[in-house]
Amino acid sequence: MIALFRVFAVAIFAIVMFVFGCGYCLLSPRNPKHVFTFGRLFGKMARVFGIKLELRMPEDAYTRGQHVYIANHQNNWDLFTVAAAVTPKVVTVGKKSLAFLPLFGQLYWLTGNILIDRGNRSKAMGTIDQVIDKMKNSDVSIWMFPEGTRSRGRGLLPFKTGAFHTAIGAGVDVVPIVCSSTEGVKLNRWNNGHVIVEMLPPVSTQGCKKEQVREVANVCREQMEQKLAELNEEVKVLNQSK
């Protein structure tokens, strides 16, 4: 019964977001401000799924300059958890196939996000170069999932290097964002407990060359893996004490 209610709620939410969201975005198509607006709206849906979402953001998170943001990518719940950590003037980079998802795909494109063909390495790298140019010629920041796919309970997967090529090429720091595990979240469970999303301090790319891409990626991954373990332990204690 609970699951049916939530499926119905998501269906209504998706339709409303598509109809009114696309209409709103058409007033200023592909404006980066839309990503922040809709990221917050999707984050509020966490309550519908019985998730007690806690955001841990530094005081300057909404006023800082350009960065490349990276986050762990677990499953479809990211849409209602990690999305809440999107800050102003941030657009995400996702795979081209997202554009063909009913309702969500069209809204994803209209809000200004960037789509790349990950199946074609030369096209993907060409898009990365375009992203670097866009960052250099604007005040937009970029959000990427360096694992490249959902981990689905397999822990933090190996990182691809696109995000770090972008950061070094644009001369900006990398900001890791970590979401505690959502593998235990169930549609038919009324209370799905705590989920913590934390933004970590920036990892500097100052003075780094493209040959150091993997080194920067490894530093970020180590920090995120350690923080993920810490958050999972904290959430475990919080959920046991409820």
Side-chain angles (χ1 to χ4, degrees), residues 38-102:
F38 287 98
R40 286 296 179 188
L41 289 173
F42 275 90
K44 291 183 183 301
M45 283 291 290
R47 301 174 187 174
V48 175
F49 298 107
I51 297 172
K52 297 176 182 176
L53 183 63
E54 179 182 349
L55 283 179
R56 295 179 179 174
M57 315 274 280
E59 292 183 1
D60 67 341
Y62 301 101
T63 58
R64 59 174 53 169
Q66 284 181 301
H67 293 84
V68 169
Y69 293 87
I70 59 172
N72 56 320
H73 194 15
Q74 299 182 67
N75 47 46
N76 292 337
W77 295 117
D78 293 345
L79 192 59
F80 309 108
T81 55
V82 180
V86 172
T87 54
K89 297 181 180 180
V90 172
V91 297
T92 70
V93 177
K95 53 188 177 182
K96 193 174 181 179
S97 60
L98 287 174
F100 301 102
L101 290 176

Side-chain angles (χ1 to χ4, degrees), residues 119-139:
N120 187 316
R121 180 173 175 80
S122 61
K123 285 185 179 180
M125 291 307 298
T127 304
I128 292 298
D129 290 337
Q130 293 176 34
V131 172
I132 292 171
D133 289 340
K134 181 170 184 175
M135 292 191 73
K136 287 182 175 180
N137 295 310
S138 71
D139 58 355

Side-chain angles (χ1 to χ4, degrees), residues 78-242:
D78 293 345
L79 192 59
F80 309 108
T81 55
V82 180
V86 172
T87 54
K89 297 181 180 180
V90 172
V91 297
T92 70
V93 177
K95 53 188 177 182
K96 193 174 181 179
S97 60
L98 287 174
F100 301 102
L101 290 176
L103 304 184
F104 175 78
Q106 292 73 49
L107 184 61
Y108 185 84
W109 183 82
L110 273 173
T111 49
N113 293 298
I114 300 170
L115 299 169
I116 64 174
D117 186 354
R118 286 185 178 146
N120 187 316
R121 180 173 175 80
S122 61
K123 285 185 179 180
M125 291 307 298
T127 304
I128 292 298
D129 290 337
Q130 293 176 34
V131 172
I132 292 171
D133 289 340
K134 181 170 184 175
M135 292 191 73
K136 287 182 175 180
N137 295 310
S138 71
D139 58 355
V140 168
S141 292
I142 300 297
W143 176 304
M144 301 179 78
F145 292 104
E147 294 166 280
T149 189
R150 299 173 181 84
S151 59
R152 299 190 186 281
R154 293 172 288 173
L156 199 62
L157 301 180
F159 281 3
K160 299 182 185 300
T161 57
F164 311 100
H165 275 292
T166 303
I168 292 174
V172 300
D173 294 343
V174 180
V175 177
I177 297 171
V178 181
C179 178
S180 62
S181 176
T182 53
E183 283 304 304
V185 176
K186 304 296 181 185
L187 268 177
N188 59 352
R189 181 185 298 155
W190 184 253
N191 186 348
N192 277 300
H194 290 76
V195 171
I196 301 173
V197 178
E198 183 169 341
M199 183 178 289
L200 307 187
V203 175
S204 177
T205 65
Q206 194 72 28
C208 291
K209 300 179 179 179
K210 61 181 181 180
E211 293 80 8
Q212 296 172 280
V213 163
R214 179 52 62 185
E215 180 182 333
V216 176
N218 289 341
V219 168
C220 292
R221 190 180 184 284
E222 288 173 7
Q223 290 187 10
M224 292 176 69
E225 190 170 42
Q226 179 180 344
K227 177 55 66 174
L228 180 59
E230 292 174 2
L231 292 182
N232 285 343
E233 188 59 34
E234 183 177 351
V235 165
K236 182 179 177 181
V237 173
L238 287 171
N239 289 338
Q240 287 176 343
S241 62
K242 65 183 179 180

